[in-house]
């Protein structure tokens, strides 16, 4: 008898399917509220997590191993997905999306690999203060940046930069743990050779897995470096990975590099539909966006009125989600990059600029909704949250 393919997706799938069959045989019809009891452990609204271990990866990066508070398996996820971690920084309750760098098969923990971002509110706070035993909450695993074997094939190219190697590492561990007949070429860019996250582990996996190839690319090479050097452009990509025909290509790193890399890849004849990039990163700053009005200073101050709540001043160059958090009106986003739409606010008056990353729906435009994480007020605005 052929096993149900759904059972291969996560532990416990057989139990869920068996419960559905029992109800069907008994003539029961599930109300959505009743079904949620079965689904909630797999797709939780909230997770209570405890830091089990803090691993120093490099001088700029740590991995935080999180377990379910009280024990037990965590919800399943697909390699490449992320969780939105809720963090208290001083008086501000905020959150950030972090890709899970551990294997989907290791359900007893999630590893979040965090690199220091100059001026970063959350990354610096986590790296400087978090210890084993600290507790956090998060949403469940989410995101569309994962490998789909039905559509993406079995020959992959992954272009990563900095902590963008985290989802790549999860994909590689998935290949190793499940002995998948999948080929993957990782081109990983780092600033310095002594700041390459997972370098020893990646090289060991490349030696062990016949289908895995890892190329390190360094921006500031020392005298002993003999490998590839930036810029990572079409010419270097071709020399490292060979022909791209038919291969799914993944991008994860600084968001400002995506447009350049997509242009380089398409110039090589690689179709846009074969390029995927991670959306949970911070959006390009408005002052660096060529669409930003040239006569408006991003540092200039505007007024925001939240209906029924308060009025506050904020700089145009700060996104409205952060400004709301700073003023004690937190939202509940999952991505902070314009994809999930959970931080939407309705703009009642005034003009708002959206970053290129915003995934606006037709209804958002029609009814005046803004994705606050990538929305910047050009004028005084009134919003409803």
């Amino acid at each position: 008898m052929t096993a149900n393919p759904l059972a291969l997706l996560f532990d416990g799938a057989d139990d869920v399917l068996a419960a559905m069959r029992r109800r069907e045989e008994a003539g029961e019809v599930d109300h959505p509220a009743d079904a949620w009891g079965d689904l909630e452990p797999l797709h939780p609204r909230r997770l209570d997590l405890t830091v089990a271990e803090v691993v120093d990866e490099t001088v700029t990066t740590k991995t935080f191993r999180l377990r379910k508070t009280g024990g037990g398996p965590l919800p399943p996820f697909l390699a490449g997905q992320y969780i939105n971690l809720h963090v208290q920084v001083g008086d501000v309750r905020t959150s950030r999306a972090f890709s899970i760098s551990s294997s989907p098969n290791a359900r007893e923990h999630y590893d979040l690999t965090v690199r220091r971002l100059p001026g970063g509110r959350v990354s610096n706070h986590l790296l400087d203060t978090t210890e084993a035993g600290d507790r956090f909450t998060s949403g469940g695993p989410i995101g569309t940046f994962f490998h789909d074997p039905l559509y993406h094939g079995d020959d992959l190219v992954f272009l990563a930069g900095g902590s963008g190697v985290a989802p790549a590492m999860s994909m590689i561990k998935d290949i190793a743990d499940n002995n998948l007949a999948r080929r993957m070429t990782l081109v990983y860019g780092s600033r310095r050779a002594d700041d390459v996250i997972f370098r020893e582990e990646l090289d060991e996996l490349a030696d062990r897995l016949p289908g895995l190839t890892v190329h390190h690319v360094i921006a500031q090479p020392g005298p002993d470096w003999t490998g590839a050097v930036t810029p990572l452009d079409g010419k270097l990509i071709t020399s490292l990975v060979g022909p791209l025909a038919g291969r799914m290509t993944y991008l994860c790193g600084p968001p400002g590099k995506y447009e350049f890399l997509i242009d380089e890849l398409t110039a090589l004849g690689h179709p846009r539909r074969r390029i995927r990039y991670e959306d949970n990163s911070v959006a390009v700053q408005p002052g660096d966006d060529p669409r930003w009005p040239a006569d408006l200073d991003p540092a200039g101050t505007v007024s925001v009125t939240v209906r029924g709540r308060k009025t506050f001043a904020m700089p145009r160059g700060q996104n409205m989600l952060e400004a709301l958090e700073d003023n004690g009106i937190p939202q509940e986003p999952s991505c902070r990059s314009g994809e999930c739409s959970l931080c939407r606010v309705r703009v009642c008056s005034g003009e708002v600029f959206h970053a290129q990353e915003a995934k606006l729906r037709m209804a958002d435009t029609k009814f005046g909704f803004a994705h606050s994480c990538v929305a910047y007020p050009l004028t005084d605005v009134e919003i409803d949250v």
Side-chain angles (χ1 to χ4, degrees), residues 24-233:
E24 183 178 1
E25 292 168 358
E28 299 177 4
V29 178
D30 278 339
H31 185 277
D34 300 326
W36 184 250
D38 293 326
L39 296 176
E40 201 278 336
L42 303 175
H43 302 282
R45 294 187 180 95
R46 188 80 70 189
L47 288 171
D48 188 353
L49 304 168
T50 299
V51 179
E53 185 179 358
V54 179
V55 179
D56 291 318
E57 301 287 359
T58 73
V59 293
T60 65
T61 307
K62 295 181 180 180
T63 291
F64 301 99
R65 175 157 292 183
L66 304 175
R67 298 185 186 275
K68 188 175 182 179
T69 301
L74 288 160
F77 69 95
L78 297 172
Q81 290 189 305
Y82 64 89
I83 61 171
N84 190 48
L85 192 71
H86 306 136
V87 185
Q88 185 77 30
V89 184
D91 296 330
V92 176
R93 181 70 172 173
T94 185
S95 64
R96 291 294 184 274
F98 292 106
S99 296
I100 303 171
S101 58
S102 49
S103 170
N105 297 273
R107 292 271 306 284
E108 75 281 359
H109 68 267
Y110 294 154
D111 285 349
L112 304 185
T113 301
V114 181
R115 190 169 186 265
R116 189 178 298 279
L117 178 68
R121 171 184 287 178
V122 172
S123 64
N124 290 326
H125 173 79
L126 292 174
L127 292 169
D128 293 338
T129 68
T130 302
E131 300 176 346
D134 289 349
R135 290 177 62 174
F136 294 91
T137 60
S138 79
I142 193 172
T144 58
F145 187 71
F146 55 82
H147 176 259
D148 185 331
L150 293 178
Y151 296 100
H152 301 169
D154 60 3
D155 193 352
L156 318 176
V157 174
F158 199 117
L159 308 180
S163 59
V165 73
M169 176 57 82
S170 185
M171 291 182 183
I172 291 169
K173 289 179 177 178
D174 189 26
I175 293 171
D177 291 347
N178 292 300
N179 195 29
L180 300 176
R182 188 177 300 160
R183 297 179 297 280
M184 181 169 172
T185 300
L186 171 64
V187 179
Y188 178 26
S190 303
R191 188 173 300 277
R192 303 190 315 271
D194 62 351
D195 196 20
V196 179
I197 305 170
F198 305 135
R199 182 173 180 179
E200 291 184 2
E201 188 173 4
L202 283 170
D203 292 345
E204 184 274 326
L205 285 165
D207 289 339
R208 179 160 58 89
L209 300 176
L212 175 64
T213 302
V214 177
H215 297 287
H216 297 291
V217 181
I218 300 300
Q220 299 175 357
D224 298 331
W225 179 252
T226 59
V229 177
T230 57
L232 181 60
D233 54 15

Side-chain angles (χ1 to χ4, degrees), residues 243-289:
L244 290 170
R247 302 163 80 180
M248 184 60 72
T249 302
Y250 301 80
L251 313 179
C252 189
K257 298 291 186 182
Y258 287 161
E259 184 175 357
F260 170 78
L261 286 172
I262 290 172
D263 287 345
E264 291 293 298
L265 291 168
T266 54
L268 293 173
H270 200 48
R272 179 63 183 83
R273 68 180 182 276
R274 304 297 292 176
I275 304 171
R276 313 190 74 237
Y277 63 88
E278 176 54 273
D279 272 325
N280 72 359
S281 54
V282 179
V284 175
Q285 292 302 300
D288 297 327
D289 191 319

Side-chain angles (χ1 to χ4, degrees), residues 3-21:
N4 191 309
L6 290 177
L8 302 176
L9 294 178
F10 55 85
D11 293 336
D14 285 332
D15 294 335
V16 174
L17 293 170
M20 293 170 62
R21 284 194 294 270

